[in-house]
């Protein structure tokens, strides 16, 4: 982790801790020391404490007399989280197919074409969006125009699944398959077919669930 230089220390600390956790720098169940994080980031413990507090229930949990640990899921908990994701993202895709403007679908397709090109040119085995604003799933959740779906997915489900999404995408062949599934969803959004868009998204999330569970086994 690089040292933080800037004025928005709490926000920057938050982003750095999130990136460290989802990249695997901290393992599920690993204890996180406020003092050690502050030292590595070159800041006081206050912003680090605030960042960890914001992440409680998302990527970390606070255990009495032990401290803060990276959140850890068993197969049952992970499977149930994917059930929730499938239902919410399926409905988000259905709503996006009905209500999203035409330029949204064009922009989303352009994003996938860029991702496909990047993977092909670099030979990467991991399919990973650059930022939340460029994330395929977040874009569709926002295009649903349903605030409750957005709130639960963006503030709860996605945070808890980010570790598993990255690790699952490293599974041989999964990156290419996930990209193909994304293009299948795009095709149904473009066709303005709500039912097919929902089923394409559900099929994609089910495949992601099985990939994530297989990595854990």
């Amino acid at each position: 982790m690089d040292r933080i230089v800037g004025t928005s220390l709490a926000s920057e600390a938050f982003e750095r801790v999130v990136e460290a956790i989802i990249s695997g720098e901290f393992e599920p169940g690993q204890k996180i020391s406020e003092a050690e994080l502050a030292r590595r980031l070159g800041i006081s413990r206050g912003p680090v404490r605030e960042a960890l507090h914001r992440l409680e229930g998302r990527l970390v949990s606070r255990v009495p007399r032990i401290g803060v640990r990276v959140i850890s899921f068993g197969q049952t908990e992970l499977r149930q989280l994917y059930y929730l994701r499938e239902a919410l993202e399926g409905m988000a895709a259905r709503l996006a197919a009905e209500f999203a403007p035409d330029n949204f679908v064009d922009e989303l397709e352009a994003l996938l074409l860029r991702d496909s090109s990047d993977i092909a040119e670099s030979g990467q085995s991991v399919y990973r969006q650059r930022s939340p604003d460029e994330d395929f799933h977040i874009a569709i959740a926002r295009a649903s125009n349903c605030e409750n779906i957005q709130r639960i997915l963006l503030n709860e489900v996605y945070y808890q699944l980010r570790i598993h999404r990255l690790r699952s995408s490293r599974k041989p062949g999964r990156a290419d398959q996930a990209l193909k599934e994304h293009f299948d969803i795009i095709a149904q959004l473009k066709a303005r077919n709500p039912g097919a868009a929902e089923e394409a998204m559900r099929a994609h999330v089910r495949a992601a669930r099985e990939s994530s569970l297989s990595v854990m086994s």
Side-chain angles (χ1 to χ4, degrees):
M1 299 174 71
D2 296 329
R3 293 169 70 88
I4 291 176
V5 179
T7 56
S8 184
L9 296 181
S11 295
E12 186 68 16
F14 177 84
E15 295 299 330
R16 295 290 182 86
V17 174
V18 167
E19 181 61 28
I21 292 174
I22 67 172
S23 68
E25 190 170 344
F26 296 109
E27 295 293 326
Q30 181 177 341
K31 183 177 179 180
I32 298 180
S33 165
E34 285 183 6
E36 176 62 16
L37 270 181
R39 184 193 65 79
R40 292 172 63 181
L41 294 172
I43 59 177
S44 67
R45 292 177 63 172
V48 171
R49 185 177 301 112
E50 182 179 337
L52 292 176
H53 179 71
R54 288 175 61 190
L55 285 171
E56 285 187 36
R58 296 176 172 182
L59 288 178
V60 304
S61 59
R62 190 175 297 275
V63 183
R65 296 185 297 278
I66 294 177
V68 176
R69 292 185 181 275
V70 177
I71 198 167
S72 180
F73 294 115
Q75 287 202 357
T76 298
E77 292 83 5
L78 184 61
R79 184 178 288 108
Q80 291 179 2
L81 197 58
Y82 267 102
Y83 290 156
L84 178 59
R85 180 187 172 194
E86 180 185 337
L88 291 173
E89 287 206 49
M91 181 54 67
R94 171 182 284 272
L95 293 172
E98 290 188 73
F99 302 119
D102 292 336
N103 66 312
F104 164 77
V105 180
D106 293 338
E107 291 170 1
L108 199 60
E109 186 173 35
L111 182 146
L112 288 190
L113 290 171
R114 186 205 62 194
D115 289 340
S116 179
S117 177
D118 288 349
I119 291 172
E121 291 178 5
S122 65
Q124 297 178 55
S125 60
V126 177
Y127 177 23
R128 183 181 179 192
Q129 282 78 34
R130 292 176 173 80
S131 72
D133 288 337
E134 298 174 298
D135 187 285
F136 178 84
H137 291 274
I138 290 177
I140 291 177
R142 288 173 172 163
S144 72
N145 289 321
C146 179
E147 292 184 2
N148 284 328
I149 287 178
Q150 292 181 58
R151 175 179 54 79
I152 297 172
L153 284 176
L154 273 61
N155 295 334
E156 299 177 30
V157 176
Y158 286 157
Y159 269 97
Q160 295 178 356
L161 285 176
R162 284 174 78 174
I163 300 172
H164 296 281
R165 284 180 68 184
L166 177 59
R167 293 180 180 180
S168 172
S169 72
R170 291 188 176 124
K171 186 177 179 181
R174 180 56 196 158
D176 290 336
Q177 183 60 33
L179 190 62
K180 179 182 180 300
E181 291 162 5
H182 282 179
F183 276 112
D184 290 342
I185 295 166
I186 283 285
Q188 301 307 326
L189 293 175
K190 186 179 292 188
R192 296 293 184 179
N193 189 328
E198 178 176 0
E199 181 48 42
M201 179 63 83
R202 282 180 170 270
H204 170 58
V205 175
R206 288 195 295 268
R209 181 185 72 218
E210 294 310 309
S211 181
S212 289
L213 290 170
S214 70
V215 171
M216 292 182 68
S217 61

